[in-house]
Amino acid sequence: MTPFTRRNALRALAAGTAGVAVVSAPGAAAAMTGARQRAFAAAAAEFGVPEPVLLGVSYLKSRWDSHSGMPSTGAGFGPLHLTDLRAVAGGGSHHDQGTDSRGDSARGVLTPHTSSALQTVDLAASLTGVDAETLRTDPAQNIRGGAAILAHYQRDLGVRADSPAAWYGAVARFSGAPDSGTATFFADEVFSTIRAGASRTTDDGQAVTLAATPVSPQRDQVRALGLATLEEGAAEAPAGLAVKWIPAPYQDLGEGNYGNYDKAERPHDQKITHIVIHDTECTYDAAIGLVQDPTYLAWHYTLRSTDGHVAQHVLTKDVGWHAGNWYVNAKSIGVEHEGFAAQGTWYTEAMYRTSARLVRYLAARYRIPLDREHIVGHDNVPGTTPPTVAGMHWDPAPYWDWAHYFDLLGAPLNARPVRQPTGMVLINPDFASNPTGFTGCDTADPGAACPARGSSALFLRTEPRDDAPLLADIGLHPEGGPSTVAISDVGSRVSTGQRYAVAEVRGDWTAVWFLGQQGWFRSAGAVPVLGQVVTPRPGLDSIPVYGRAYPEAEAYPEGITPQEIVPLQYTMPAGQKYAAGPTVRAEYFSATTFDPASHVVVRGKTKYVQIQFGHRFGYVKLDDVTLSRTHP
């Protein structure tokens, strides 16, 4: 990693919600110098860019944050996201870690590319005379660089006008998108923000406001940019979101092997119940190369960081190999986001917005509830059997802002607040002011502290005190001992939007049931909610927990080998309670040959309940538990 990703970030001095209108946290006023607002005004005046346009573009890139000079997942720096690939380390896809993303023990294990990117920091340097490092790390100079580029693009269009409406083409070009559909979506989002206005406190305590400005942009300017037009194809997407169809190859490789996904007829043969949020752990270009390799594996969508561009590779009716758990694969859609979970990088607003637009469309199409039981991270997917638990992936990791994402989905996580304790809590720390102390962001020095930056995670401790050990996880640490603060260790960690049953409250600390233990965190990090909980049926000392909801042996037809129902290494002891998700009927999608005609969905009589058991969800048999609802 470069020095920029090792550098300690400034702690967020002020907090805000994930929405557009933000109320600053108590005590933040002292940090609000107004320097960021003045920097936008000065740069706009210097380069002749309408201030609302400059503010709107910056909001769609970074939400005006500086990120202490650290790069985004698309190699962009600062409030204007000036891109510089040279300053960001690459890396292989997280699918290259020796694990099987197909997650089907009925088949053998599977077993890669370079990138190019826009170098807008170089253009900014030539236009301003400021060196690249300063443009990356100094917010005011970064804003100047972005304003200079916008003015340069406007001159190239031959347009001279002070009205924001006349800057649509320059804004579309600033997106960096090579196709008109993605560039148009970016520009439309910028001008929508300009019309609505926005106000928030940045990650370094700067209060910035974009006053609502009526504007009808000149959208026809995009034609003058000479951008490519996406070909009509099979891509499935909401109206107004340009999605490129880059198909994954369904190819017979001989000797009973094939790649790189499975044909199906969802939702006719089986329901789609989950959407899995991933990050690529490689560049967008590398991910596109991998998904087109027939000897590799495939997922449904990939999103590019810089401009939010979306590519689709597998039809949603078909089953991608992406989650490392075959039961989850068969029931889900996999959405990959260009990014690196641990390298101190941040996800752009453009990518958050296109992802939210896509996922909202998919959820409506397949009637998937917009909650954290159904819209899950790859890090929430359980192992299938005990040997696979330790190798499960942990992206998109704690730097994915779940609260902001659900705001963009139109499903705020705490939309119906409950004022009294209920026996269940929803994890809800303020992302900006929650710089949880991880290690392991620097591959060259895994024990070094990660930059102090916002996070969606809370650690759980064995006692209600900050210096108490973390909980044990026998799946990740079979040798015994507590979990660690390594960013890849999810053994004692909860995440925004997840729900847990309360075990005990002492002062300003709350304990929840987690992996068969009580885990303590400061109560300010959660809010009470209503819902269902499960507990072992009376008379049972403990019950098994499973990583997949497979049918009983007698449900399998002749010719299909029954999949063994193997519990994980965890159990749920009597008296403990866990937040209940959906109740599901046992299923196994038998798809071990290239010919889809031989694929069979096996359905059993056994019913399971999805539960929030640890950081990952799990399944318990309905016959083993008692379901009840929480109440104030």
Side-chain angles (χ1 to χ4, degrees):
M1 296 179 70
T2 70
F4 304 104
T5 57
R6 294 194 191 109
R7 181 174 296 154
N8 286 332
L10 296 174
R11 290 182 179 270
L13 298 176
T17 67
V20 173
V22 173
V23 179
S24 58
M32 295 180 193
T33 64
R36 185 73 38 82
Q37 188 87 54
R38 291 195 297 273
F40 280 111
E46 179 181 359
F47 294 99
V49 180
E51 189 173 347
V53 169
L54 186 60
L55 284 163
V57 168
S58 178
Y59 193 92
L60 253 292
K61 290 291 189 179
S62 69
R63 298 175 75 214
W64 307 323
D65 288 336
S66 69
H67 294 283
S68 298
M70 294 186 297
S72 77
T73 59
F77 291 81
L80 264 295
H81 197 259
L82 301 181
T83 52
D84 188 356
L85 188 67
R86 298 164 304 196
V88 182
S93 165
H94 63 187
H95 298 296
D96 293 329
Q97 298 174 350
T99 57
D100 177 17
S101 289
R102 190 168 45 215
D104 180 12
S105 56
R107 299 195 61 188
V109 176
L110 296 164
T111 120
H113 301 281
T114 60
S115 170
S116 61
L118 294 173
Q119 288 290 122
T120 57
V121 72
D122 294 341
L123 176 57
S126 68
L127 293 171
T128 63
V130 178
D131 64 272
E133 181 177 2
T134 301
L135 288 165
R136 289 192 297 258
T137 57
D138 185 315
Q141 292 299 331
N142 183 276
I143 292 168
R144 287 188 68 242
I149 291 174
L150 278 167
H152 172 73
Y153 290 164
Q154 187 77 340
R155 288 193 296 273
D156 280 354
L157 285 171
V159 177
R160 294 182 178 275
D162 296 329
S163 169
W167 285 73
Y168 188 91
V171 170
R173 185 176 175 187
F174 197 93
S175 71
D179 67 275
S180 59
T182 302
T184 295
F185 180 86
F186 178 89
D188 284 346
E189 289 294 303
V190 168
F191 280 90
S192 175
T193 303
I194 292 171
R195 285 191 295 269
S199 181
R200 69 182 296 265
T201 299
T202 66
D203 59 352
D204 53 352
Q206 298 289 323
V208 181
T209 296
L210 165 58
T213 306
V215 60
S216 297
Q218 298 173 15
R219 301 179 80 249
D220 59 339
Q221 289 182 344
V222 172
R223 290 198 295 269
L225 300 180
L227 300 175
T229 301
L230 294 182
E231 295 181 6
E232 292 290 331
E236 302 159 288
L241 181 61
V243 175
K244 187 173 184 179
W245 176 243
I246 305 177
Y250 187 70
Q251 185 173 326
D252 189 348
L253 304 174
E255 298 183 355
N257 193 17
Y258 67 93
N260 51 8
Y261 63 94
D262 277 295
K263 295 285 188 178
E265 290 297 333
R266 305 184 306 175
H268 303 296
D269 55 359
Q270 53 189 329
K271 288 184 65 176
I272 300 173
T273 58
H274 291 73
I275 297 173
V276 182
I277 303 300
H278 303 255
D279 75 48
T280 59
E281 292 302 310
C282 62
T283 64
Y284 173 85
D285 290 346
I288 296 303
L290 290 171
V291 81
Q292 294 179 90
D293 181 351
T295 67
Y296 201 58
L297 50 90
W299 48 93
H300 294 88
Y301 295 91
T302 305
L303 277 72
R304 188 165 57 210
S305 177
T306 301
D307 54 8
H309 170 71
V310 183
Q312 184 176 2
H313 319 294
V314 177
L315 294 176
T316 56
K317 72 181 184 67
D318 296 326
V319 175
W321 301 346
H322 60 93
N325 182 313
W326 185 244
Y327 177 80
V328 175
N329 278 344
K331 309 290 288 182
S332 69
I333 296 169
V335 183
E336 292 273 4
H337 300 76
E338 182 182 18
F340 303 87
Q343 294 183 7
T345 52
W346 46 278
Y347 299 97
T348 64
E349 180 69 2
M351 187 163 65
Y352 273 128
R353 289 196 176 205
T354 52
S355 179
R357 179 79 67 90
L358 174 65
V359 168
R360 188 166 64 244
Y361 159 81
L362 294 170
R365 181 178 179 182
Y366 294 112
R367 299 181 180 179
I368 301 171
L370 290 173
D371 57 41
R372 288 285 272 119
E373 284 78 38
H374 298 85
I375 312 299
V376 301
H378 196 181
D379 55 343
N380 304 135
V381 176
T384 54
T385 59
T388 68
V389 169
M392 292 301 290
H393 297 155
W394 46 275
D395 59 293
Y399 298 142
W400 180 267
D401 190 343
W402 284 107
H404 179 52
Y405 190 60
F406 270 82
D407 282 351
L408 293 174
L409 285 172
L413 291 171
N414 192 31
R416 298 179 179 177
V418 179
R419 304 303 179 189
Q420 300 86 15
T422 63
M424 180 186 290
V425 291
L426 180 140
I427 305 303
N428 194 33
D430 179 80
F431 184 89
S433 59
N434 183 43
T436 309
F438 297 106
T439 61
C441 292
D442 187 344
T443 55
D445 187 6
C450 293
R453 51 169 302 186
S455 161
S456 60
L458 297 174
F459 288 127
L460 297 180
R461 302 195 176 272
T462 55
E463 296 289 339
R465 63 177 199 274
D466 293 318
D467 60 350
L470 301 181
L471 301 182
D473 184 336
I474 59 173
L476 298 181
H477 304 284
E479 72 286 353
S483 299
T484 71
V485 296
I487 195 168
S488 60
D489 189 343
V490 300
S492 189
R493 185 188 306 169
V494 294
S495 178
T496 296
Q498 293 179 326
R499 298 180 305 137
Y500 293 89
V502 174
E504 188 179 350
V505 176
R506 293 187 206 169
D508 60 354
W509 287 80
T510 295
V512 295
W513 296 114
F514 188 97
L515 297 179
Q517 307 159 77
Q518 283 192 24
W520 293 88
F521 64 91
R522 290 194 173 273
S523 303
V527 293
V529 290
L530 299 172
Q532 281 194 315
V533 295
V534 300
T535 192
R537 283 193 181 278
L540 298 177
D541 293 333
S542 65
I543 62 170
V545 178
Y546 302 90
R548 51 196 183 182
Y550 275 178
E552 62 280 4
E554 54 270 27
Y556 290 78
E558 185 177 354
I560 298 179
T561 303
Q563 295 294 296
E564 188 178 359
I565 301 177
V566 181
L568 300 176
Q569 51 268 75
Y570 313 104
T571 60
M572 181 192 299
Q576 295 188 6
K577 295 182 179 181
Y578 290 84
T583 297
V584 299
R585 184 179 174 185
E587 282 187 2
Y588 172 63
F589 180 42
S590 177
T592 59
T593 66
F594 181 70
D595 182 7
S598 68
H599 298 174
V600 176
V601 179
V602 180
R603 293 185 175 87
K605 295 180 180 179
T606 306
K607 290 185 177 181
Y608 294 82
V609 182
Q610 180 181 315
I611 62 168
Q612 189 66 60
F613 189 63
H615 183 80
R616 304 184 191 275
F617 59 84
Y619 299 94
V620 291
K621 291 182 178 179
L622 180 60
D623 287 344
D624 287 344
V625 298
T626 298
L627 277 164
S628 61
R629 294 199 65 83
T630 62
H631 53 82

